[in-house]
């Protein structure tokens, strides 16, 4: 292992320890869902812009007040589906924000118990596998000397996309073939490694804006794979999900949350420049504003709460044995709600 890569991984381990400390700081008895309490976990990237706008504009509080409810909202920043799922199952949050891969995993494992399901989409965003190695033209060109960064190996939606692509190339029995050269890194550190070069990280399956930063900042960077290619078009890669207890025991809080997300989606679509400023301010990002606006205005990107084209990933995961239960309709893994019911 190179010194530079060791430094990246060490910083990530420190961040993970800090995350544990943050979660431990939540109030005791948090496993009980209650009206007026809403703790939300989000991760890195523009895919969480809906939550950034909701937080900045205090839209949950607004819709709660309209329903006669004073909602206390807290946000926690995590990285990787495993950390988010742990926080949800331990009762430290009411709503988890992560990829569709972690959602399907938790839906499958909690059926008949916590019964986790999706609440809303975070929008449609392509996820790119980017490499800084000129020799890599497809996933078949990665070798044991390469390392592909994903938020969580074998769990994150990016890791599941990599498995899906591997299954298409080498067959279902080889779906986990590239897991052995995958490493867990938060998107910001993985992007820094790709742009800077000189580490063992030669690939990063990321999300906006990190993948766009890599392509703009690295002469040799190229897209090896797009999630849209796997799914046959625009699709939801990240979503918000919760336990059945929250869905049933906190109906007013739940409704205010979904209404707030829908208002945020319409706000971003109508006001991309204001949304960009909110993102930069909320995340304290130094991202180039023009690049950010390019992502928000991209014809490949759609901000909406209705999930789209998600079933294929769940069926793949069932086919290769990653989940035991096969999702057959959206209602299997998303809670029933008028704003999401027409999704797929």
């Amino acid at each position: 292992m190179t010194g530079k890569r060791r430094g990246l991984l060490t910083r990530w381990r420190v961040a993970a320890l800090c995350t544990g400390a943050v979660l431990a700081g939540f109030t005791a008895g948090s496993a009980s869902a209650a009206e007026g309490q809403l703790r939300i976990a989000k991760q890195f990237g523009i895919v969480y812009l809906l939550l950034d706008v909701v937080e900045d504009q205090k839209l949950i509080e607004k819709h709660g007040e309209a329903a006669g409810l004073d909602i206390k909202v807290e946000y926690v920043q995590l990285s990787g589906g495993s950390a988010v799922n742990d926080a949800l199952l331990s009762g430290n949050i009411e709503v988890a924000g992560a990829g569709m891969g972690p959602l399907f995993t938790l839906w499958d494992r909690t059926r008949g118990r916590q019964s986790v399901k999706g609440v809303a989409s975070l929008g449609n965003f392509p996820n790119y596998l980017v490499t800084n190695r000129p020799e890599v033209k497809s996933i078949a060109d990665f070798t044991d000397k390469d390392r592909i960064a994903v938020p969580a190996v074998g769990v994150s939606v990016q890791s599941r996309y990599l498995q899906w692509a591997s299954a298409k190339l080498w067959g279902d029995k080889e779906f986990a073939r590239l897991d052995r050269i995958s490493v867990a890194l938060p998107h910001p550190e993985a992007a820094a490694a790709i742009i800077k070069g000189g580490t063992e990280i030669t690939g990063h399956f990321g999300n906006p804006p990190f993948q766009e930063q890599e392509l703009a900042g690295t002469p040799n960077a190229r897209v090896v794979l797009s999630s849209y290619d796997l799914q046959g078009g625009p699709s939801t890669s990240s979503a918000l999900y919760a336990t059945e207890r929250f869905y049933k025991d906190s109906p007013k809080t739940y409704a205010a949350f979904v209404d707030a997300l829908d208002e945020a989606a319409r706000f971003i679509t109508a006001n991309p420049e204001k949304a960009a400023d909110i993102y930069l301010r909320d995340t304290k990002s130094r991202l180039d504003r023009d690049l950010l606006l390019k992502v928000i205005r991209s014809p490949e990107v759609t901000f909406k709460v209705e999930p789209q084209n998600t079933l294929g990933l769940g069926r793949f995961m069932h086919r290769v044995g990653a989940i035991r239960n096969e999702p057959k309709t959206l209602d299997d893994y998303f809670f029933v709600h008028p704003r999401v019911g027409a999704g797929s």
Side-chain angles (χ1 to χ4, degrees):
M1 181 184 294
T2 66
K4 291 182 179 178
R5 180 173 172 242
R6 186 180 297 111
L8 286 173
L9 296 179
T10 298
R11 288 195 298 274
W12 166 223
R13 292 188 184 104
V14 170
L17 290 173
C18 291
T19 294
V22 170
L23 291 178
F26 282 117
T27 57
S30 57
S32 298
E35 284 281 26
Q37 173 179 284
L38 185 53
R39 296 161 300 174
I40 307 164
K42 61 180 179 178
Q43 299 188 61
F44 298 99
I46 299 174
V47 296
Y48 295 94
L49 183 56
L50 281 187
L51 290 179
D52 294 329
V53 171
V54 163
E55 181 178 7
D56 182 84
Q57 302 291 301
K58 297 188 180 301
L59 297 181
I60 299 171
E61 294 88 340
K62 168 188 169 182
H63 286 278
E65 184 178 350
L69 186 64
D70 180 20
I71 303 177
K72 180 183 179 183
V73 186
E74 298 177 44
Y75 298 85
V76 61
Q77 187 85 50
L78 299 175
S79 180
S82 296
V84 171
N85 286 353
D86 288 346
L88 183 65
L89 293 182
S90 64
N92 283 312
I93 57 173
E94 280 72 48
V95 174
M100 286 301 304
L103 168 53
F104 278 119
T105 298
L106 214 54
W107 163 76
D108 178 65
R109 294 180 181 175
T110 63
R111 291 188 70 180
R113 297 190 294 276
Q114 297 97 330
S115 299
V116 171
K117 287 188 178 183
V119 174
S121 164
L122 283 166
N124 293 345
F125 302 85
N127 287 188
Y128 298 153
L129 172 57
V130 175
T131 184
N132 60 5
R133 196 158 71 84
E135 299 84 358
V136 176
K137 303 294 193 299
S138 76
I139 62 171
D141 297 321
F142 284 110
T143 71
D144 288 341
K145 294 182 180 180
D146 293 295
R147 292 295 180 269
I148 301 171
V150 293
V153 178
V155 178
S156 65
V157 69
Q158 289 86 0
S159 192
R160 293 302 187 189
Y161 287 149
L162 193 57
Q163 292 175 347
W164 196 355
S166 297
K168 287 188 174 185
L169 181 60
W170 293 300
D172 284 355
K173 291 183 178 180
E174 293 290 313
F175 79 96
R177 182 168 177 167
L178 296 179
D179 283 5
R180 68 176 184 270
I181 64 168
S182 298
V183 296
L185 275 180
H187 289 312
E189 293 196 15
I194 290 293
I195 294 170
K196 187 175 182 180
T199 77
E200 292 180 6
I201 305 297
T202 56
H204 174 212
F205 215 142
N207 68 8
F210 307 106
Q211 58 198 24
E212 285 77 14
Q213 286 180 294
E214 293 163 358
L215 294 170
T218 314
N220 293 326
R222 64 163 52 85
V223 177
V224 178
L225 179 68
S226 168
S227 61
Y228 282 10
D229 294 337
L230 288 170
Q231 297 182 283
S235 56
T236 297
S237 60
S238 297
L240 298 160
Y241 47 97
T243 63
E244 187 176 49
R245 172 178 286 182
F246 173 63
Y247 175 67
K248 288 184 174 181
D249 292 356
S250 305
K252 289 184 179 180
T253 305
Y254 187 97
F257 179 54
V258 178
D259 287 344
L261 291 168
D262 185 64
E263 182 174 346
R266 289 183 279 109
F267 175 90
I268 296 167
T269 302
N271 305 279
E273 295 205 9
K274 290 182 180 179
D277 291 336
I278 288 172
Y279 178 84
L280 293 173
R281 183 171 62 247
D282 182 70
T283 63
K284 298 179 175 60
S285 172
R286 297 181 180 179
L287 179 68
D288 180 77
R289 188 173 183 271
D290 290 339
L291 179 62
L292 176 58
L293 279 169
K294 183 179 179 181
V295 174
I296 294 174
R297 289 170 168 160
S298 169
E300 289 191 310
V301 171
T302 308
F303 294 94
K304 61 179 183 177
V305 299
E306 180 183 289
Q308 182 177 347
N309 201 11
T310 60
L311 191 56
L313 178 61
R315 286 176 170 168
F316 159 73
M317 291 175 64
H318 174 261
R319 192 175 73 241
V320 299
I323 57 176
R324 291 170 297 178
N325 299 284
E326 181 181 6
K328 296 180 180 179
T329 68
L330 188 73
D331 288 350
D332 285 337
Y333 54 97
F334 265 82
F335 291 118
V336 175
H337 190 279
R339 295 199 186 281
V340 304
S344 59

